[in-house]
Structures are given as C-alpha cells and as structure tokens.
Amino acid sequence: QVQLKESGGGLVQAGGSLRLSCAASGRTFSTYAMGWFRQAPGKEREFVANIGWRGVTTYYADSVKGRFTISRDNAKNTVYLQMNSLKPEDTAAYYCAADTRHYSAGYYYPNEYDYWGQGTQVTVSS
C-alpha cells in the first residue's frame, strides 16, 4: 500500500512558477517509479512527467518539455514537479501517482499506475 499527498498548487500569472510536492508513505519509496498527471475540466487525464526509482531517468510530455522538471528525494519520500514559464493551458488538477510494478520510468498511461493522490489545483491566469 502507498499513500500519496500532493501540495503546492495555487493561482499564478502566466509566465510564473510553482513547485508541486508529493509526499509518499507506506511501501519503501525508493523501489518504484513515480509520475505526475493532470486533468482539466472536460478532458481526460494526461501524462505530464515520470521518474525512475533512482531519480536518474525522466520523461516528459512534449507540451511541458523544457518548462517542467520532475525530481525526487528518496530520503524524504517526496517527488517534486517544478513548473516554470506557466501558460493558461497548464491549468488543471495535478495528480501524483505511484507505479509500484516498475522501477524504471517510461510508462505514460494512467492505468499503469496503481496509487494516486487526491490532486492539487493549478490555475494560470492570462
């Protein structure tokens, strides 16, 4: 079992930055991959970024590449999403997810992740 809790969302102007955090508890954090997804109203949940168990391998959606950075601190059982140069189209609820079936990153579909946080809202004003 893994419990996840996101924090750090909020309202920011276009061009601004936010850092999301996701604290994990339960199963040993350093034994599985983690991901961030987002879901805007009326849209399907979409992949944002993921990171392998050691924090070395990362993948990003094309829409956030170069602007967002995923990282993890296994000593703190926390994964982060640094979001820079935010755009109004980044507005969504952001969810962290644990993929306890894999050590490595590279899995992009929500059904490949077995534990989810409750989400944190990010709103970018123009």
Side-chain angles (χ1 to χ4, degrees):
Q1 287 280 346
V2 174
Q3 295 78 42
L4 302 172
K5 183 171 178 60
E6 303 96 336
S7 61
L11 174 64
V12 64
Q13 288 189 331
S17 298
L18 283 174
R19 188 175 83 153
L20 306 183
S21 300
C22 173
S25 60
R27 177 173 164 172
T28 303
F29 184 66
S30 60
T31 62
Y32 52 86
M34 292 290 297
W36 284 96
F37 290 76
R38 67 186 181 186
Q39 188 167 18
K43 295 189 176 181
E44 293 187 352
R45 191 166 296 190
E46 65 173 4
F47 169 77
V48 175
N50 59 17
I51 188 167
W53 65 285
R54 291 188 301 168
V56 175
T57 304
T58 58
Y59 294 94
Y60 297 91
D62 287 344
S63 58
V64 307
K65 203 171 293 184
R67 301 188 297 123
F68 291 11
T69 302
I70 188 171
S71 62
R72 66 189 295 162
D73 185 337
N74 287 345
K76 295 183 178 180
N77 292 348
T78 302
V79 64
Y80 304 96
L81 186 68
Q82 178 66 44
M83 305 185 295
N84 299 329
S85 302
L86 282 160
K87 305 175 181 180
E89 51 264 43
D90 293 319
T91 295
Y94 282 72
Y95 299 88
C96 68
D99 176 9
T100 64
R101 290 167 289 185
H102 299 103
Y103 285 91
S104 60
Y107 297 89
Y108 309 116
Y109 297 101
N111 62 9
E112 292 171 321
Y113 291 75
D114 39 4
Y115 295 97
W116 292 83
Q118 83 289 349
T120 186
Q121 179 67 35
V122 172
T123 303
V124 185
S125 63
S126 57

